[in-house]
Amino acid sequence: MLISILWNILTPIFLVAAAGFWGRRRLGFDSRTLSSAAFYIFTPSLVFPSLFFVEIQPTDLARLLGFWLTMAALLIVLALLVACARRWEREMTSAFVLTVVLLNAGNFGIPLNRFAYGDAGAQLAVLYYTLSAIFCNTVGVLIASSGHADFRIALRGLARTPMIYATI
């Protein structure tokens, strides 16, 4: 049973991470290009069908959304309190808030929830990831831009964010 868990759930996660590490070292993968591909292609491609084909009760969706919004709000407040106590400048505060709030809920969360709770758990994990990705690619863009850009420039950057269009 344990071998099956390791092989089916954890091994693919570590193989992808190892392939990325190896590709960076041996093949010179450009992390900026891969990040751009994830931002403009892969994440919107995951979000669109996930939202389109999801089978979830509205009450469960509302609970998940409520949990996520509460968690994000509490983390933002906590991060801002720490930043104020440390008297960080705007750029550092923006970077810290993003670091605290943006979770990588996809790579580990989706396969582990599929294992623990079956397809229903995987659907909830994809929705949770989608909420995180939408936040990252909307509010996260604004927060990141606020450290060094005019709010209008940040809004223009937000308008070029494909996650918004995939969600709509």
Side-chain angles (χ1 to χ4, degrees):
M1 176 71 159
L2 181 59
I3 297 296
S4 175
I5 292 169
L6 290 173
W7 184 255
N8 293 322
I9 304 299
L10 297 177
T11 302
I13 294 169
F14 289 113
L15 285 175
V16 169
F21 179 78
W22 180 82
R24 172 84 170 139
R25 293 280 231 182
R26 294 289 196 177
L27 303 176
F29 284 170
D30 179 24
S31 59
R32 179 173 272 179
T33 301
L34 292 174
S35 295
S36 293
F39 183 79
Y40 289 105
I41 299 167
F42 301 139
T43 301
S45 296
L46 173 66
V47 167
F48 178 75
S50 298
L51 292 177
F52 192 77
F53 294 111
V54 71
E55 295 178 16
I56 187 169
Q57 297 298 317
T59 54
D60 291 336
L61 181 59
R63 283 191 358 222
L64 180 66
L65 181 60
F67 170 78
W68 193 93
L69 288 172
T70 302
M71 184 203 66
L74 289 173
L75 288 173
I76 288 171
V77 168
L78 180 64
L80 289 173
L81 288 173
V82 169
C84 286
R86 306 283 291 169
R87 300 180 202 270
W88 286 333
E89 295 192 17
R90 210 162 111 175
E91 285 183 5
M92 181 65 172
T93 298
S94 296
F96 184 68
V97 168
L98 288 173
T99 301
V100 169
V101 174
L102 301 180
L103 306 171
N104 185 353
N107 295 338
F108 291 105
I110 295 170
L112 288 176
N113 275 285
R114 179 179 307 280
F115 167 71
Y117 305 108
D119 287 336
Q123 281 192 338
L124 289 174
V126 168
L127 282 172
Y128 185 89
Y129 169 74
T130 300
L131 292 171
S132 297
I134 290 168
F135 180 84
C136 174
N137 291 292
T138 56
V139 177
V141 170
L142 289 175
I143 292 171
S145 299
S146 72
H148 62 277
D150 180 305
F151 188 70
R152 290 176 302 210
I153 294 170
L155 283 177
R156 277 196 298 252
L158 184 60
R160 292 191 309 265
T161 304
M163 179 64 64
I164 295 169
Y165 305 110
T167 302
I168 293 170

